[in-house]
Amino acid sequence: MSLYIKVENGQSIDHPALETNLLQVFGEIPSNWELFSRIEKPFFDDPFKIVSEHSVYQKIDGVWVDVWDVRDATPEERAEIEQKM
């Protein structure tokens, strides 16, 4: 099952769509829709790694993908996490 995302002026628009849906609507993949590869939200065993709630879409090596922000917890966040442990 392939996904595509609409692109205008080098920027992704809205959210990815299934190839089959695009084919049903347009009869082909429109030229302004580009391949998209879903990247699941990463999971870390380290409680001090903070992952963004939402991904952003970026084009990497010619394919649009989900990109997740991953960072270390701030000192304040670390203290809060440690209190809950």
Side-chain angles (χ1 to χ4, degrees):
M1 165 178 56
S2 295
L3 293 170
Y4 288 82
I5 194 161
K6 187 175 183 179
V7 177
E8 291 180 4
N9 298 319
Q11 298 296 314
S12 63
I13 305 296
D14 295 323
H15 297 286
L18 291 170
E19 178 180 34
T20 53
N21 291 349
L22 294 173
L23 293 173
Q24 286 176 343
V25 171
F26 301 110
E28 62 183 10
I29 305 301
S31 62
N32 64 328
W33 287 76
E34 298 180 8
L35 196 58
F36 184 93
S37 182
R38 179 67 69 200
I39 305 296
E40 295 298 320
K41 184 175 182 177
F43 172 79
F44 296 94
D45 286 329
D46 182 347
F48 303 113
K49 288 286 186 195
I50 308 296
V51 180
S52 60
E53 284 299 314
H54 304 284
S55 66
V56 295
Y57 302 147
Q58 291 182 1
K59 192 173 187 178
I60 299 175
D61 295 331
V63 177
W64 289 89
V65 296
D66 293 291
V67 176
W68 300 90
D69 182 47
V70 179
R71 62 178 177 79
D72 293 326
T74 65
E76 295 81 14
E77 289 169 327
R78 288 182 74 87
E80 187 177 321
I81 292 166
E82 287 170 347
Q83 274 187 334
K84 293 178 183 177
M85 296 175 103

